[in-house]
Structures are given as structure tokens and as C-alpha cells.
Amino acid sequence: MEVIDINDITRKVSLFFKKGFKTKFLLFVSVPLLASMLFLTDYFILPERQTSDVIAYRQVIKIPQSAGGTSVRTGKVSGYKYTTATKLKFSTSRTPITSSEVTLTTTPVFKTVKTVVASQKTIPLASGFSGLNQVLFILCNGVMVISVIYVFLSRTITENARLNLIYCNTFLLAIWVYALLLY
């Protein structure tokens, strides 16, 4: 098995972005920014769809924690993940849905669940554009926009600043994509 050398990876990334940094960086950042704008358009502007569905799968999300400083690990319930019969996915925080029949409001392009109504009650969601995903979305896009403004306004960019811009944006983007896939 081959060992991955982080210094080698850093050197290759640095060499790739060294010549024509501004152009390459703007292209690198423009893809997630355009995808974000498409997501926001889908979520806020395009007409939403309401469908009746049945919950096919439920999963309790537990956070492990130690019991009173001992080595005993217990799980604290932090939310619930649901999958419907039509393969729509959403999660709630601390609000279990007891009814199997739900009415969902979804977006037309990405099929993001916006609202869930069960037993004539609207259930607060922790997935889609709410909860952790909303915070990460705003943080990631805010840092990308600030980075683009910095690149445009700077005449010369030092190697340290260049690497910070690349790795900070890559790290935040990876966390945001992971959260989108997880929730």
C-alpha cells in the first residue's frame, strides 16, 4: 500500500495554481457559487410542489456521550432522519413524526423538502435550507465571495495568501458538501 505524502500533495496544488492564479482560482470558486445560486433559485423562486407521501424508513440520529465522566458511552438523541416511499429525504431535530402519512412541500429541481405537515401540524426541519446546512451554506458562500473580492482587489498575492485562499475555500466546500450529503 502506498503512503500518501501531504507535502507532495501541497506542492502539486501550489504548482497548479502558481501560474495564472487569479483565473484558475476564479474558475475554481465560480462552480460552487453558480451551484449555490441555482440552489437558491430552486428553493426561493421556482414554484414549489405539494405531495402526499408515506414515510418508508425512520432512523434515530444519536450523538455519543460519556455518562458522568466514566468510560460508559451512551447516545443522546439529536434528531430523526426520514425517507419517504418516493425516496424524498429529510430530517427533524428532536421532533419525531408518529404519523406515517405526511404532506411535503418540495422544490422542483433538487427535490429539497421545504416543509413537512403530519397530523395537521407543521414539523420544523433540520435539513434542506435550515439548521446546520443553512449556516454552512452562508459561511461557505460568504468566505468564497470575500475571497473573490480579495483576489480582485489585490495587485499581488503572496504565496502564503494564495495557499490560504485555496485551502480555506477547499476545506469549507468539503464540509458543506459533506453536510448536504449527510442531512
Side-chain angles (χ1 to χ4, degrees), residues 55-99:
I55 294 176
Y57 179 72
R58 295 170 191 180
Q59 178 184 0
V60 177
I61 303 169
K62 290 186 176 184
I63 297 175
Q65 66 184 47
S66 62
T70 64
S71 63
V72 176
R73 303 290 278 174
T74 61
K76 177 183 175 187
V77 175
S78 70
Y80 303 89
K81 286 174 87 173
Y82 299 95
T83 305
T84 65
T86 58
K87 303 294 184 217
L88 294 171
K89 297 178 181 182
F90 62 94
S91 60
T92 62
S93 60
R94 296 183 180 86
T95 308
I97 298 175
T98 55
S99 172

Side-chain angles (χ1 to χ4, degrees), residues 8-159:
D8 190 43
I9 293 172
T10 304
R11 186 180 52 75
K12 287 179 182 178
V13 169
S14 177
L15 287 175
F16 175 75
F17 281 101
K18 196 162 198 153
K19 290 185 181 178
F21 170 73
K22 287 186 178 187
T23 305
K24 289 179 182 177
F25 182 75
L26 293 176
L27 287 173
F28 173 73
V29 172
S30 67
V31 172
L33 285 175
L34 289 174
S36 297
M37 289 179 13
L38 181 63
F39 176 79
L40 290 175
T41 301
D42 179 47
Y43 196 84
F44 289 111
I45 297 174
L46 296 178
E48 51 194 35
R49 297 187 175 136
Q50 269 196 338
T51 58
S52 294
D53 211 337
V54 177
I55 294 176
Y57 179 72
R58 295 170 191 180
Q59 178 184 0
V60 177
I61 303 169
K62 290 186 176 184
I63 297 175
Q65 66 184 47
S66 62
T70 64
S71 63
V72 176
R73 303 290 278 174
T74 61
K76 177 183 175 187
V77 175
S78 70
Y80 303 89
K81 286 174 87 173
Y82 299 95
T83 305
T84 65
T86 58
K87 303 294 184 217
L88 294 171
K89 297 178 181 182
F90 62 94
S91 60
T92 62
S93 60
R94 296 183 180 86
T95 308
I97 298 175
T98 55
S99 172
S100 63
E101 293 183 14
V102 291
T103 303
L104 305 172
T105 304
T106 59
T107 62
V109 177
F110 293 114
K111 307 291 186 226
T112 306
V113 177
K114 292 174 77 172
T115 60
V116 176
V117 177
S119 304
Q120 285 75 33
K121 289 192 292 187
T122 301
I123 310 295
L125 295 177
S127 59
F129 192 65
S130 55
L132 177 64
N133 286 338
Q134 182 180 14
V135 171
L136 287 174
F137 183 87
I138 293 168
L139 177 70
C140 187
N141 285 301
V143 168
M144 282 190 281
V145 168
I146 290 169
S147 298
V148 167
I149 291 169
Y150 176 77
V151 167
F152 272 129
L153 294 178
S154 296
R155 290 180 187 254
T156 59
I157 298 173
T158 64
E159 184 168 343

